[in-house]
Amino acid sequence: MGRVMLCIGRYAQKPYYFASMCTNVYCVEELCYLFVSNPFMINHDVMDKELAEWLDRECGLTELSHQVLTLFQRGCQPGIFVSTILDYVNYCTAEDKEKIQEVLQGSVGLNDFERQKKQADFLMKNRKYQLALEEYDRLARELPETESALKPSIYHNMGTAYAGFFMFDMAARYFKKAYDMTGDMQQGVSFLAAKRLSLHEDAYISFIAEHSEYHELSMMVERKLTDAKGRFEASQENRMLSALKIYKDEGNVSSYYEEIDKIISELKSGYRQLVEV
């Protein structure tokens, strides 16, 4: 069960618009969610006098408004400005605030394209695959030739995100783009691993037979899959599945399906978290 949060203030009649994110927010909790979900947007642009006045006028948070107006007038750092709002609402866990601080420290000196990629990387790291893909796709289309060095990493991470959705055919497509641009062996292994998982075994064998240039990489993929199989066989998940098999073999059908339903429910919940926007 998630953390229960007591909302404060009121829902705005007129939203505050963040031009950098093309997003409206209607209450202070939505504002906090935007900051925590997109820490790379925390720069001097968010320190807007209009935002402080909006908190008072639209949300009825006069005390908070006065606090951030004072910070605005003092010319404080964006991190302090945002942290004041988060603390007032009691929105963040200590872990969330630590992540934001790490992002702010790591974004010093980055240009806009590097910062956008870091934002997408942050979403990827936190398994927000759909949001990450949208960021990467937009960045790949807008990236100028002078920033083309970012593209292999963008394509690799897009492949990783699609693999997180079990869309291995799409993952293979983007891993191959990264491999073609760099020739890096690990990119090639990622490409063939996704290819192997997207095809039936006979089709994969035919593919490797037709592309002898991938023979060495395919051997590396098989070794990695063998290692992964060994780790799975020693895992708690495998022990759980073995226990389920015992239920079934003993004819304890009700317990078998009860446990299967629990597993499916957990998997569905996890998948919904990956695709939420």
Side-chain angles (χ1 to χ4, degrees), residues 62 127 131 147 186 246:
T62 303
R127 303 177 75 220
L131 293 172
E147 300 292 336
Q186 291 307 313
I246 292 172

Side-chain angles (χ1 to χ4, degrees), residues 7 24 31-32 63 81 119 144 156 176 199 214 222 247 275:
C7 296
N24 285 321
L31 177 65
C32 291
E63 181 183 352
F81 184 88
Q119 166 68 13
H156 174 85
K176 186 170 189 304
L199 297 173
Y214 296 142
E222 295 309 310
Y247 279 143
V275 302

Side-chain angles (χ1 to χ4, degrees), residues 3 11-12 23 56 67 87 97 107 115 150 208 262 277:
R3 182 167 61 104
Y11 203 72
T23 299
D56 183 9
Q67 288 183 26
D87 288 345
K97 291 190 71 174
S107 63
R115 189 174 290 106
L150 293 175
I208 294 300
K262 287 180 183 177
V277 295

Side-chain angles (χ1 to χ4, degrees), residues 26-27 55 63 77 86 94 100 144-145 156 164 184 203 208 225:
Y26 285 85
C27 62
L55 288 168
E63 181 183 352
Q77 291 300 309
L86 295 174
I100 292 172
E145 189 62 33
H156 174 85
D184 180 76
I208 294 300
L225 289 176

Side-chain angles (χ1 to χ4, degrees), residues 37-231:
S37 302
N38 303 277
F40 283 90
M41 71 175 288
I42 301 174
N43 54 38
H44 283 89
D45 291 341
V46 305
M47 295 176 59
D48 182 11
K49 182 179 178 181
E50 174 57 28
L51 173 59
E53 294 173 346
W54 174 83
L55 288 168
D56 183 9
R57 182 179 66 251
E58 294 290 335
C59 300
L61 298 172
T62 303
E63 181 183 352
L64 176 58
S65 175
H66 287 167
Q67 288 183 26
V68 293
L69 269 174
T70 300
L71 292 173
F72 174 80
Q73 291 162 359
R74 290 177 181 172
C76 73
Q77 291 300 309
I80 296 174
F81 184 88
V82 169
S83 182
T84 298
I85 297 173
L86 295 174
D87 288 345
Y88 187 91
V89 181
N90 194 27
Y91 187 90
C92 266
T93 64
E95 184 181 2
D96 287 332
K97 291 190 71 174
E98 191 173 314
K99 286 180 181 179
I100 292 172
Q101 191 58 38
E102 288 176 3
V103 165
L104 295 178
Q105 291 174 352
S107 63
V108 174
L110 299 181
N111 63 34
D112 289 342
F113 299 107
E114 292 168 331
R115 189 174 290 106
Q116 187 177 342
K117 182 180 178 299
K118 286 283 188 179
Q119 166 68 13
D121 293 346
F122 176 85
L123 294 169
M124 261 283 296
K125 183 179 179 181
N126 288 279
R127 303 177 75 220
K128 301 293 186 182
Y129 296 140
Q130 184 60 46
L131 293 172
L133 281 168
E134 291 171 7
E135 288 286 331
Y136 286 130
D137 182 63
R138 179 165 57 250
L139 179 58
R141 287 186 281 104
E142 296 175 354
L143 206 63
E145 189 62 33
T146 54
E147 300 292 336
S148 60
L150 293 175
K151 279 195 173 181
S153 180
I154 291 171
Y155 290 143
H156 174 85
N157 289 353
M158 291 180 77
T160 301
Y162 278 116
F165 285 137
F166 307 104
M167 297 173 65
F168 296 113
D169 54 340
M170 292 294 292
R173 180 186 304 180
Y174 283 97
F175 284 138
K176 186 170 189 304
K177 285 188 176 187
Y179 177 59
D180 288 344
M181 294 181 76
T182 64
D184 180 76
M185 188 171 292
Q186 291 307 313
Q187 301 280 20
V189 168
S190 296
F191 158 58
L192 283 187
K195 194 76 174 176
R196 193 185 194 289
L197 292 168
S198 70
L199 297 173
H200 291 296
E201 189 167 355
D202 289 346
Y204 177 74
I205 291 172
S206 297
F207 173 80
I208 294 300
E210 293 169 6
H211 296 275
S212 58
E213 69 272 23
Y214 296 142
H215 178 73
E216 183 180 351
L217 289 174
S218 71
M219 294 297 99
M220 295 176 66
V221 169
E222 295 309 310
R223 287 195 291 270
K224 283 182 175 292
L225 289 176
T226 299
D227 290 344
K229 182 180 178 182
R231 289 194 300 273

